[in-house]
Amino acid sequence: MRQMFAATLVFVLTLTISESIFAVDQGAPPAAIENSLGMKFVLVPAGAFLMGSNELPDDLSKAYPQYERRRVVELGDEAPVHPVRFKQAFYMAQFEVSVGQFRKFIEASGYTPESVADGTGGYGYNANYDSLQSVSGDAFDGRNPKYSWQNPGFAQADNHPVVNVTWNDSVALAKWLSEKEGVKYRLPTEAEWEYACRAGTRTRYTSGDNPESLLKIANVFDSDARGYWQRWAQFALSGNDGFAFTSPVGSFAPNAWGLYDMHGNVWEWVSDWYADDYYSRSPVDNPQGPAEGSVRVRRGGSWHTWALYARSSYRNWISPDSRYTLVGMRLVREVSVR
């Protein structure tokens, strides 16, 4: 196993060097761009990396002793670790899409978000809601028309990440921006997302392997949030990140490529359909995910996410029409080919 992993690592390093040469030969695009909605994008370089995790359940159980055994056993879809290569650089939004930016999109385009269009609303925080008494056992109240991207049940300013948006809402924003500006915007692929999140690291988080290190870089389930959800107190980080709900985008330290909130704050939609065996058949070059499916992938964790599920390799999925108080988005802008 170690020899195989080492051989794969050499292969990836070789690809990375060759792709760096490729990028130089083609001329360097701007390192950062700001668009008409005030979204800032940073250039993610062409290159290669090892995607996924081969950590054994026994090792994860030791690192996360408060979690039931079944929770670490269920992480098999993060394997096998496999090489991925990107021949073309791309722009990743430096921050998650904010409430203010989404509002500008709605006002300029006339688009009606799904939570409003179908009349069923979204989910939200309700101090009087008891998850133990609900049919679903969900942590949040809903689906209810009173909740939407404008009202998740807690206060948000324009610089907070928008939530209660569906996969389809995210695609609609990307399509509108593409038509407006004449360049291609889209959701990142799952592979692009993990490549950008890791930014050259192989640890569980870009801050290292220790869950408590997340407090420096992420808004996740910690002591601030624990007071609102004593039911799950055992999973809270012992420290405080200063926020019980969403935080303004960019409130924590960025990763090595200048990207903020890749861990925590809100889950981020990616373009891929989900399949638990996809990694075993993924192509090396720019994988796009399964050709079909019933649920879409979301990545990164949220302000209510436990540390185990905020790791760089963790995969999660929900229906594309889902709207939830923990889910937002981040866009990719493709580099124009000269």
Side-chain angles (χ1 to χ4, degrees), residues 186-202:
R186 56 177 173 79
L187 288 174
T189 65
E190 186 175 12
E192 286 173 335
W193 189 94
E194 186 170 326
Y195 176 59
C197 175
R198 288 189 178 279
T201 64
R202 279 301 304 166

Side-chain angles (χ1 to χ4, degrees), residues 7 19 25 48 83 98 150 162 176 194 241 244 259 261:
E19 293 311 320
D25 289 345
S98 70
Q150 297 182 87
V162 68
W176 177 80
E194 186 170 326
D241 59 30
L259 299 169
D261 301 314

Side-chain angles (χ1 to χ4, degrees), residues 46-199:
F49 81 118
L50 294 174
M51 185 173 185
S53 171
N54 281 335
E55 284 201 87
L56 298 174
D58 285 350
D59 294 330
L60 287 170
S61 289
K62 292 177 182 177
Y64 302 89
Q66 67 272 52
Y67 293 78
E68 306 98 314
R69 177 73 175 183
R70 66 173 179 83
R71 292 188 179 276
V72 296
V73 171
E74 291 170 350
L75 302 174
D77 63 351
E78 298 177 12
V81 170
H82 56 287
V84 170
R85 173 176 60 183
F86 300 102
K87 292 184 178 181
Q88 178 68 45
F90 57 91
Y91 286 106
M92 178 76 88
Q94 194 168 21
F95 309 104
E96 294 157 336
V97 175
S98 70
V99 172
Q101 290 163 347
F102 194 73
R103 179 179 292 107
K104 289 179 182 178
F105 157 60
I106 296 298
E107 293 173 347
S109 68
Y111 176 78
T112 302
E114 280 196 278
S115 64
V116 178
D118 64 18
T120 65
Y123 286 79
Y125 172 71
N126 180 346
N128 297 316
Y129 168 77
D130 184 353
S131 62
L132 292 175
Q133 300 301 317
S134 68
V135 174
S136 66
D138 197 280
F140 297 93
D141 184 24
R143 182 182 302 185
N144 190 309
K146 71 180 180 180
Y147 300 120
S148 70
W149 69 273
Q150 297 182 87
N151 176 30
F154 53 85
Q156 284 191 305
D158 275 359
N159 61 350
H160 282 238
V162 68
V163 297
N164 268 325
V165 287
T166 67
W167 186 90
N168 301 303
D169 292 337
S170 305
V171 170
L173 170 56
K175 182 176 183 292
W176 177 80
L177 270 173
S178 298
E179 294 171 351
K180 174 179 171 58
E181 299 186 5
V183 292
K184 179 67 173 179
Y185 289 91
R186 56 177 173 79
L187 288 174
T189 65
E190 186 175 12
E192 286 173 335
W193 189 94
E194 186 170 326
Y195 176 59
C197 175
R198 288 189 178 279

Side-chain angles (χ1 to χ4, degrees), residues 182-249:
V183 292
K184 179 67 173 179
Y185 289 91
R186 56 177 173 79
L187 288 174
T189 65
E190 186 175 12
E192 286 173 335
W193 189 94
E194 186 170 326
Y195 176 59
C197 175
R198 288 189 178 279
T201 64
R202 279 301 304 166
T203 46
R204 292 172 185 144
Y205 316 101
T206 56
S207 53
D209 285 328
N210 184 352
E212 294 291 329
S213 70
L214 283 171
L215 295 169
K216 305 174 184 176
I217 65 163
N219 178 13
V220 292
F221 193 66
D222 68 339
S223 294
D224 291 300
R226 179 175 55 204
Y228 293 86
W229 289 276
Q230 285 296 326
R231 177 183 174 186
W232 296 292
Q234 71 191 89
F235 302 111
L237 295 180
S238 62
N240 301 74
D241 59 30
F243 300 94
F245 298 95
T246 55
S247 56
V249 298

Side-chain angles (χ1 to χ4, degrees), residues 16-37:
T16 302
I17 294 170
S18 65
E19 293 311 320
S20 297
I21 294 172
F22 176 86
V24 172
D25 289 345
Q26 296 299 309
I33 290 177
E34 184 170 339
N35 72 6
S36 59
L37 288 183

Side-chain angles (χ1 to χ4, degrees), residues 299-317:
R299 286 298 213 112
S302 75
W303 56 272
H304 196 266
T305 297
W306 309 339
L308 178 66
Y309 303 124
R311 292 172 301 110
S312 299
S313 58
Y314 180 67
R315 311 174 69 200
N316 196 266
W317 60 94

